[in-house]
Amino acid sequence: MRKIVKTGATALMLVCMGSNVYAAAATASGCARPADMNALRTAAMQQRLMVAALSCGESQSYNQFVRSYQTELQASDKNLQAYFRRVNGKTGTADYHAYKTRLANASSMAVINDSVGYCASAKASFQEALGSKLQLVSFTSQAVIDQRFVPCPITTASASNDTAKKAPVAPRTRPAQRSVSAQGGNVAQR
């Protein structure tokens, strides 16, 4: 009986160690955890709506949006900062600011290219966010983000080494050097 318990404990320890190594590899590769992906999408949506507030006369709607989702927006922003610092500790804070600036610039360009479509899409997004009691993560789940942000693979403890996916390799460029696709009207379409 003791041998079975020892064998079971050893097996459990090896599984935990393997999971920790896998998690460390995923973190080192720069992949985005689910909370990171949510934070990236939330930032994309918030920047899009902020530009709409300034460019489409939707300041009142934007202020109501921020007040309604204030706690979730703050938590998401902390997750976003933590993600960029985890990916590149030296330039993480600068990368975070650069990402948000690129999102705002891309949205501004989308307004310039199609102000009527952009503003109509943003107004529909405000109505969706403010007209129902959606959680922020549900509201932002369809936001478009740069494809270079790779989600971490999801594995279970029961997955064998043969079926477990390897962590994706992060791009060699720093996040501050990446381009962000225009957010435009595509973000709010479902």
Side-chain angles (χ1 to χ4, degrees), residues 26 29-37 40 83 86-87 149-153 168:
S29 73
C31 67
R33 300 173 189 148
D36 303 330
M37 293 300 287
L40 290 162
Y83 167 71
R86 188 182 81 237
V87 170
F149 294 106
V150 180
C152 294

Side-chain angles (χ1 to χ4, degrees), residues 8-115:
T10 302
L12 179 61
M13 182 181 71
L14 290 174
V15 167
C16 290
M17 286 173 46
S19 296
N20 288 341
V21 168
Y22 181 77
T27 299
S29 73
C31 67
R33 300 173 189 148
D36 303 330
M37 293 300 287
N38 290 336
L40 290 162
R41 285 187 197 98
T42 298
M45 181 62 77
Q46 186 176 11
Q47 293 301 101
R48 180 178 164 271
L49 295 178
M50 180 193 66
V51 169
L54 300 171
S55 301
C56 305
E58 293 288 344
S59 297
Q60 186 176 358
S61 295
Y62 180 75
N63 290 338
Q64 187 178 356
F65 167 76
V66 171
R67 282 191 305 273
S68 297
Y69 292 99
Q70 183 175 8
T71 303
E72 291 174 273
L73 286 168
Q74 289 171 339
S76 179
D77 199 56
K78 285 182 183 179
N79 285 340
L80 186 65
Q81 290 177 32
Y83 167 71
F84 281 106
R85 278 191 236 116
R86 188 182 81 237
V87 170
N88 191 345
K90 291 181 181 180
T91 62
T93 300
D95 295 344
Y96 157 82
H97 290 294
Y99 174 68
K100 290 186 84 169
T101 299
R102 280 192 316 277
L103 290 171
N105 290 342
S107 291
S108 294
M109 292 304 297
V111 169
I112 290 169
N113 291 327
D114 180 16
S115 65

